[in-house]
Amino acid sequence: MPETASPAGASASQDAEITAALGTRSVVLVGMMGAGKSTIGRRLSARLRLPFLDADLEIEAAAGMSIPDVFENHGEPYFRDGEARVIARLLDSGPAVLATGGGAFMREETRGRIRDKAISIWLKADADTIMRRVRRRADRPLLRTADPAATVGRLIEEREPVYQHADITIWSRDVPHEKIVDECVEALHSWLCGDGASSAAQETSGTMGATR
């Protein structure tokens, strides 16, 4: 009887195939604040044995101050310019899993760099999920408004048509983090190594898809 790979062995093989197919490219997570980009990114990077980079933390290190302080002292346009420079540098630093801020993908220049040097995953979350996750945090400059829920709704409306340009879409919802990571891995493997490498679209169980 021929030997068959164990599920763990099959998973390890799948992960290795993804990293080999990536080459020098990174995996970039995009989406709204509260979508889980940093949380899922850390777990995905461990799974793929790639470095994890958080663009917001790198921006703070480069600026020598917190992101709320950058917004307050210099304004959003200054922050966005610095964000674009930091992401460009990180994309040039070799393969990694990179979590970006919610507005980063809105910049055409940054989208172009991500398209050229990475595979992008949109972690898509609905407004209720986002509000549950961010309402207890005070470090979201764009939510320092009289009606944060209305602000989130407006940002979703503005940003989702742009987020749709990401290569892969994964629904971020209230399930164990490892389930979301598994879906990211399955979609990446399909995109890079399977049918997704040559077909126009992928969709599995209504939770993930890939679009060219």
Side-chain angles (χ1 to χ4, degrees):
M1 181 181 294
E3 292 185 3
T4 57
S6 66
S11 175
S13 174
Q14 186 181 58
D15 299 346
E17 288 173 4
I18 290 170
T19 54
L22 280 172
T24 60
R25 290 177 293 178
S26 292
V27 176
V28 175
L29 302 179
V30 305
M32 285 286 293
M33 64 186 85
K37 300 183 295 291
S38 296
T39 301
I40 299 304
R42 288 188 182 91
R43 288 167 169 77
L44 181 60
S45 70
R47 176 82 174 264
L48 298 179
R49 298 185 179 183
L50 292 173
F52 173 71
L53 301 170
D54 187 311
D56 283 351
L57 295 180
E58 296 287 338
I59 292 164
E60 289 182 334
M65 66 181 72
S66 70
I67 287 175
D69 285 344
V70 174
F71 268 75
E72 183 175 347
N73 295 330
H74 301 287
E76 185 175 0
Y78 177 93
F79 168 78
R80 296 300 176 193
D81 288 344
E83 180 180 53
R85 289 192 298 270
V86 166
I87 290 175
R89 170 173 59 81
L90 296 176
L91 289 172
D92 285 338
S93 68
V97 175
L98 171 61
T100 62
F105 203 61
M106 300 299 291
R107 191 169 183 133
E108 185 176 0
E109 172 190 6
T110 297
R111 288 200 305 277
R113 286 198 174 101
I114 291 172
R115 182 178 60 248
D116 294 341
K117 299 189 176 185
I119 305 299
S120 52
I121 298 177
W122 172 25
L123 291 183
K124 182 176 181 179
D126 62 32
D128 290 342
T129 299
I130 291 168
M131 286 306 300
R132 281 198 306 273
R133 293 174 179 177
V134 305
R135 63 162 49 104
R136 292 185 297 272
R137 297 184 59 174
D139 61 344
R140 309 287 188 176
L142 294 181
L143 294 187
R144 292 178 175 175
T145 64
D147 189 346
T151 301
V152 166
R154 175 180 59 79
L155 289 171
I156 288 175
E157 185 177 356
E158 291 174 356
R159 292 176 176 180
E160 285 202 346
V162 179
Y163 291 154
Q164 289 173 3
H165 291 287
D167 299 315
I168 293 166
T169 299
I170 302 290
W171 270 100
S172 177
R173 58 217 189 274
D174 292 332
V175 297
H177 293 142
E178 289 308 318
K179 180 171 178 58
I180 305 295
V181 173
D182 286 344
E183 291 173 3
C184 289
V185 169
E186 289 290 339
L188 282 168
H189 189 267
S190 179
W191 181 265
L192 291 164
C193 310
D195 294 339
S198 58
S199 68
Q202 288 283 327
E203 182 125 0
T204 302
S205 302
T207 60
M208 65 184 182
T211 56
R212 281 287 184 188

